[in-house]
Each structure stands twice: as C-alpha cells, then as structure tokens.
Amino acid sequence: MRWASPPGRPGLTGRVVSWWGERPVTQAVLLTGVALILVFFAINTAANMERFGITPGFGFLLRPANFEIGESLIGYQPQDSYARAMLVGLLNTVKVALVGGLLATVIGVALGVARLSGNPLLSALVQGYVEVIRSTPLLLQLFFWSATLQALPGPRQALNPVPGVYLCNRGILLPAFAEDGAGGWVLLALLAAVAVGGAGMWLRSNHIMGRTVGSIGRGRWPDALILLIALGTGAGVIAGSGVSLTVGFPELTGFNFVGGGVVSPEFSALLIGLVVNAAAMIAEIVRSGIQAVPNGQWEAARALGLPRGRIMRLVVLPQALRVIVPLMTSSYLNLIKNSSLAVAIGFPDLVSVVNTSANQTGQVLESMAIMMGAYLTVNLIVSALMNAQNRRLTDRRRR
Amino acid sequence: MTDHALTSAPHPVAPFPPTQPTPRQRLALSHARALWGALFGTPVNAAITLACVAVLAVSLPPLVRWALVDAVWSGPAERCADGGGACWAFIGEKLRYILFGFYDQDRQWRPLAATLILLGLAGMSAAPLFWRRATLGVWLVGLAVALLLLCGLPDGPPVPTERWSGLPINLLLTTIGMIGAFPVAVLLALARRSRMGGLRSLAVLFIEVTRGVPLIAVLYVATLLVPLMLPSGLTIDKLLRAQVAIILFVSAYLAEIIRAGLQAIPDGQYEAARALGLTYWGTMRLVILPQALRTVIPSIVNLTIGLFQDTTLIVAIGLFDVLNTARNAAKDPAWLGFYTEAFGFAALIYLTVCVLASRYSLWLEARLRRVER
C-alpha cells in the first residue's frame, strides 16, 4: 500500500485517474467482480421468471390490479392499473408522513421544551414518556394502538369526547367540509394560504434574525398580520369562486354515521403510533439542542432585560436550531421509513400495495425496484430540503 | 443522573443526635426548599404542577386498579371475563408459547438454554473487563452452542427453523446481526474514507441506498426476490435470508457510526503510525481502529437496542418472534382478545432489556469521557 497520492496529471484524464486513486487494477477487478455477481443474479432471475411464465419488464403496470384498496386520496377502482394502485399507495405513504411529521414536530418541540422546564414534575413526566416510547418497539406500539382502536365500541355507543367528534370501531369521525366535490379544493386553498403565510413568516424571521439585538422584540406582530392576510386571501378566493362552505357534522342515523369526515381506524392507529413515537425522538433532539446552547447566552440575554419566553424564542432557539435541524432530518427520514410498518396493521401504504402487486403478478424484481426507487426519491427530496434549510442556518453564523 | 447520585448516597449513621444540623442535613433542607420553589415558586409553575398532578390522578388509579387490584392472576378464562381488571392468568397460561412459540413442548429447555446463553454473553461483554480478544472466541462458541441447541442437535431429531420462534429469534437475529455486520461495516467505513474512487463510490452507493429504504422493504427483498435470484433448485432457509438481510441492513448504519469514530482520530495518529513504518492495515488494526471504535461504543450500544426492537419487523414476512407469538396467543379462541395483556407483557420484556441497555450506554459514555480526561 502506497500512502502518497499519485502525482497529478493535467487534463480530464488526469482528474479521472487521480479520482480513481491507488491500486487502479485491484479496484477494477473488485468492481467487475461485483458487477459479475449482479449479472449472475440477473441471469438467474430471468431464467426463473421464464420458468414461471412471467415476462420481465414494466408492462404489467398497465394491467388491471384487481384488488381493493381500503382508502385512497385519488379515485381508485379494482379495475384500475397496477401503476395507479402503486400511486395510491405512494400517496397514502406521503399523506401519513406529512400529517405525522407536522404533528410530531409540534408535539415534540413542546415536549422538548417541557422537559427542560424548571418544573421537576413536568420534566419527570416527559422523561418517563420518552423512556417508555424509546424502549419499546414501534411495531408493538402500532399493534397496541390498532388493538385499542378496534376495541372501541360500535357506532351506536360511540365515545364523544368533544362535541362533533366521535370515536368508534369504524374510525374517528370529525366535522368536515361537506362532500360536494369542492371540499378538497377548499382544503387545498386553505393549505396553500397557510403555506404562503408560513413562507412569509419564514422570510421575516430571516430578516429579524439578521438585525441587531437592540431592535429585537419589535416588529413581531406583522407575522400574525401576514398570516391573517394570507388566510383572508384564501378565504376570499374560496368565497369568490362561489363554492359554498358548509361544514358537515357526523350524525348517527340507524347503525352508522352520516356526514362529516371519517378517519379510518387503520390510518388513525398508524398516525397515532408514528406521532407518539416520533414526538418522543424529536423531544430528545430539541432537548439536546437547547442544552447545547452555552449558559452565557441565557445570562447575556437576561442581562439585556429580555423576559424568559423571549430569551427562548429569540436567543436560544435560533442557536439551538443549528444542532436540531440536521438531527431533525434523520428524524423525518425515520418517520417516512417507519410508515412502512403500516403493512403490519393493514393500512394500504406503498410497501403494502407493492407487496400485494408482487405477490399477484410475480413481477418481484420490478416491484421491488419501484418500491426502493420511490423511497430513495422521497428521502432525497426531504434531505435536499432539510439540507437547504441547514445551510441557511449555518451560513448565518458566518455573517 | 446527578440528583439521583446525591439522594441515593448512603447516609452515615450518627451515634448521637447532633444539636446543629449537619452539612448534609442543611443540604437536604436547601434541596427541599429548591424543590418547593421549583414546584410552586411562580403562579405558572404552580399551575403546571397542579395540571401534572391532575393528569396523574386521572390516569394512574385506573391503571393501577386494572393492572394490580382488579387483576386476575390465575385460573381459567371465565374468571377473567367476570373481573374488570387485567387477566394475567392469560400470560401465565401462555407464557411458554409466548417465549418459545411452536418449539416442541417437551424440548423447550433448549430454547430456554439458548436464550440464557445469549443474554449471559451480552451481560458479560457489557463489563469493560471482558473487552478483549478472547471474548470474541467465547461469543463464537456460545453462538454455536445456542444454534446447536435450537437445531435440536446433537441428540434427537433436528428441529426445522420454521418452529424456532419467540424470544430466542429476537436475540439470535440481534446478536448474529451485530457480530456479522461488524466486519462488513469496518470494511465499508474504511472504503468510504479511502482515496480509491471506485471503491469509495461502491461503499457510498451501498450505504446510502441501504439507509434510504425501510427494513421491511429489505426483508421483502430477502423473502420474495432472493429466491428468484438463485439458480433453480437452490433454496436458502427463510430465517437465514432474513438474518443476512438484517446483517447487510445494519452494516450500513454501523459503517456510518464507525466512520464518525474514524473522523474523530487526529491526523497526527496516522502520521505517527506511518513514521513507525506501519503498513495501512497495520496502522488501522493497531493504531486507528482501537481508538476509533472505543469512542463509538455508546453509539453501537444504541444501534444494538434499535436492532433488538427492529427484529420484531420479521412479523411482516411471517416469522414468529416474541411480539408475534404474544399477539397470536390472544387469538386462541379460549383466550380471545387479551391483546392489552399480551402487548403489555411483550412491552415489559422490551422495556426491561432496553432500559437496562440505555442506562448502560449512558454510564459507558460518562466512563469513556472520564478515561479521556
């Protein structure tokens, strides 16, 4: 083994050669070996598929899937294609990951701050929660939530913890926009409004953090204003488009509920399990991030006369974020990957649909490739977004 | 941690009651005052405390009543149906099934012995005293004995792996998974840090793809795709396929942990080793890896805890680990529906092992920091 790097040669070839590095022949042999093993597997797979009478390739995606999917965001019938079935699965995965990530972040940050509160009782409670969640397998927690939701009474004896909300073995029933086909668009408009408002706040917070300490504390209320304007615009668009905004409440008629929105028991169990689990992880991340901020920062802020809440929000949290955001990335990625446990409690996520497709068609290689490709793509997107956010945070330090 | 150390220190026995408060008593008094202040010092704190007490008051008594007071500890299922409490009689009745699954009833001392061997080995290697080369040999012998026991050898008919189930499966997949992943992970970490572009790309590709997909997907590949990739006529046992999948999956995560350890080693160490005339492998084996690995032991322990929890995912490919046997026990028509008890029992097993292990990891971290100083 030589230690020195090979002498640099000019030009593109030189760069390739120096990138390839030491022991060029051994490396080439090794890589060829790996490639040969893969080719060996590919030949076997092709032979086995031919033996079973399966045509390799992605043509099967256009054939009708012929299986039911419990719930989907887009219209789906069993005679739809495998491609559409897989899209339904992917959208279900994205749905649970998005809603779960949002809820877990809010609850996790609150728990992380609570863990560090001066109150020993609250802190001990949060610590106990985190410890129990982190010391039991996620699948066990999902099984527990699934069994608990299935053990709920039937619609006629449904629990009614909050007016308008019912818990029964058919799922969780909530007030929702009336299903006249426009409900989805209304929701989309409101979501878009919140997103625009959030982006506005984000830009403003950027601006505020760049300012000097003396001006901190002023100019917070425009955040609320931005959000209000955005929401108002969203509401205006809805009102302008002439869609009637009727909210339907679930009502018991006969043996089942009519009206309102239903969150299926499978989705509820998966969502509760994932959120409870991820919130515990995020609480730990937030705690370690806040603790990583030196005490002097607290003291300096207190010397400036800032109250405790504002110290946390304006001085400590922005610095803690530098520790928190990279760890959050892996936490979100874990949440997405963990949503694949849906298959064990009967929620039709991507893994579940792909698995059914693979079993039905025998197109195992193609199905697995699609599944892996989908997860890698989603992961790449989340990593890229979070890295951009992280770069923004670390860049500010240099300023 | 520090509070615990303070309060649990043994109190010295005073021969006579002292007239002045001892420093220890004064300390305790000031602690009590600080505690009172922290609980009720400000209106907000008092409100939080009261809210916490309310939450505990609402949730704890029913839980205790269900789990202990009203619980049925023995007897047939009918007795459980009468009481409103937990049916621990169900666990008592199904204990052997939950722990050892479908293993032949009269030979269940074998999985029991295998479980004890694996737990004993894990406990032994927790002591830094045993961090030496010979321990690896003991592990290999222990694993071989445990596997032989589970196989039903050398005496009696062999037991097929389909009937291996329950807790030994989790322990086996975890221990063999970590031990098997270790050499792979070290090679991957070294390859990822090497100056050889082709090799490095291969390592990066493997690590990132593996870390990008869920374990369930990898297990499905092992169950569905691998049989298709083998020449016709050749089959590999399903449990073995899952084990290999787990080894490869974990090796990607372990490689990243080891890489972090390698990055923490200052360049001077490499240069000094080179000045001594050590080869690359000599440098790694004698100088770099021992230091790099020592700093990441707590992370490795945490990864092991995670793997132990993740072995439950083999449920998805139809294998019966302890979680699946517990769930299955509640499907027995005679004892139908005691899911909470079944999951509670499985949770208790996991809680015990994982809390002990994470406490150990914290202790180890503190100890390593002390040694460094």
Side-chain angles (χ1 to χ4, degrees), chain A residues 319-336:
Chain A
Q319 299 184 65
L321 278 180
R322 291 199 193 111
V323 179
I324 291 173
V325 167
L327 294 172
M328 270 318 215
T329 312
S330 62
S331 192
Y332 289 142
L333 295 180
N334 276 338
L335 178 69
I336 296 171

Side-chain angles (χ1 to χ4, degrees), chain A residues 118-260:
Chain A
N119 193 308
L121 193 57
L122 182 63
S123 159
L125 273 181
V126 174
Q127 193 187 359
Y129 162 79
V130 169
E131 188 115 357
V132 168
I133 295 300
R134 278 165 49 117
S135 301
T136 44
L138 175 60
L139 189 61
L140 174 62
Q141 294 166 26
L142 287 178
F143 279 163
F144 170 78
W145 292 116
S146 175
T148 308
L149 286 177
Q150 273 167 16
L152 283 173
R156 309 200 76 173
Q157 287 85 37
L159 305 176
N160 191 0
V162 188
V165 176
Y166 293 90
L167 298 173
C168 67
N169 56 12
R170 307 272 171 94
I172 301 174
L173 295 113
L174 302 161
F177 294 112
E179 276 297 325
D180 54 354
W185 290 109
V186 173
L187 205 64
L188 203 68
L190 283 180
L191 274 180
V194 171
V196 170
M201 280 168 73
W202 187 55
L203 288 174
R204 276 200 68 82
S205 77
N206 247 352
H207 177 61
I208 284 173
M209 285 180 193
R211 276 191 288 165
T212 50
V213 177
S215 61
I216 285 182
R218 274 192 273 133
R220 291 303 296 181
W221 65 269
D223 279 1
L225 192 70
I226 290 176
L227 202 62
L228 268 182
I229 293 174
L231 273 177
T233 321
V237 167
I238 293 164
S241 64
V243 175
S244 60
L245 250 186
T246 46
V247 177
F249 288 90
E251 266 173 83
L252 188 66
T253 10
F255 291 101
N256 210 346
F257 282 95
V258 174

Side-chain angles (χ1 to χ4, degrees), chain A residues 9-212:
Chain A
R9 245 185 283 168
L12 185 67
T13 352
R15 235 178 292 160
V16 169
V17 167
S18 84
W19 176 82
W20 190 255
E22 300 153 4
R23 305 212 165 190
V25 182
T26 318
Q27 282 193 69
V29 169
L30 190 79
L31 259 64
T32 319
V34 172
L36 281 180
I37 292 174
L38 291 180
V39 167
F40 171 71
F41 284 148
I43 292 174
N44 284 335
T45 311
N48 281 328
M49 281 172 111
E50 201 185 323
R51 205 154 48 87
F52 295 126
I54 304 164
T55 339
F58 289 93
F60 79 101
L61 285 175
L62 299 175
R63 295 209 304 266
N66 290 329
F67 60 87
E68 297 271 355
I69 296 182
E71 54 191 292
S72 80
L73 283 175
I74 53 174
Y76 172 83
Q77 267 104 40
Q79 61 267 29
D80 282 333
S81 66
Y82 279 107
R84 196 172 175 92
M86 288 185 186
L87 182 64
V88 167
L90 178 63
L91 286 177
N92 278 341
T93 293
V94 170
K95 176 171 82 166
V96 78
L98 270 184
V99 180
L102 201 68
L103 287 176
T105 308
V106 174
I107 299 174
V109 170
L111 287 175
V113 173
R115 172 83 170 76
L116 288 178
S117 81
N119 193 308
L121 193 57
L122 182 63
S123 159
L125 273 181
V126 174
Q127 193 187 359
Y129 162 79
V130 169
E131 188 115 357
V132 168
I133 295 300
R134 278 165 49 117
S135 301
T136 44
L138 175 60
L139 189 61
L140 174 62
Q141 294 166 26
L142 287 178
F143 279 163
F144 170 78
W145 292 116
S146 175
T148 308
L149 286 177
Q150 273 167 16
L152 283 173
R156 309 200 76 173
Q157 287 85 37
L159 305 176
N160 191 0
V162 188
V165 176
Y166 293 90
L167 298 173
C168 67
N169 56 12
R170 307 272 171 94
I172 301 174
L173 295 113
L174 302 161
F177 294 112
E179 276 297 325
D180 54 354
W185 290 109
V186 173
L187 205 64
L188 203 68
L190 283 180
L191 274 180
V194 171
V196 170
M201 280 168 73
W202 187 55
L203 288 174
R204 276 200 68 82
S205 77
N206 247 352
H207 177 61
I208 284 173
M209 285 180 193
R211 276 191 288 165
T212 50

Side-chain angles (χ1 to χ4, degrees), chain A residues 3 27 48 119 134 337 379, chain B residues 49 195 198 211-212 228 309:
Chain A
W3 282 87
Q27 282 193 69
N48 281 328
N119 193 308
R134 278 165 49 117
K337 282 183 273 173
N379 273 356
Chain B
T49 305
R195 291 209 203 94
R211 277 161 35 102
L228 211 58
Q309 297 185 357

Side-chain angles (χ1 to χ4, degrees), chain A residues 7 47 53 277 292:
Chain A
N277 192 277

Side-chain angles (χ1 to χ4, degrees), chain B residues 1 57 80-81 96 110 116 125 137 148 150 164 203 206 213 234 261 266 288 307 314 320 341 346:
Chain B
M1 287 315 107
C80 287
R96 288 179 74 166
R110 287 170 168 277
L116 291 179
S125 2
L148 272 181
L150 282 170
W164 299 13
F206 175 80
V213 294
L234 179 66
I288 306 299
L307 175 61
I314 57 168
F320 278 82
E341 286 84 350

Side-chain angles (χ1 to χ4, degrees), chain A residues 300-331:
Chain A
R302 222 172 292 141
L304 288 174
L306 289 176
R308 196 185 151 86
R310 221 175 258 180
I311 297 177
M312 184 62 115
R313 207 180 65 217
L314 297 174
V315 179
V316 176
L317 269 185
Q319 299 184 65
L321 278 180
R322 291 199 193 111
V323 179
I324 291 173
V325 167
L327 294 172
M328 270 318 215
T329 312
S330 62
S331 192

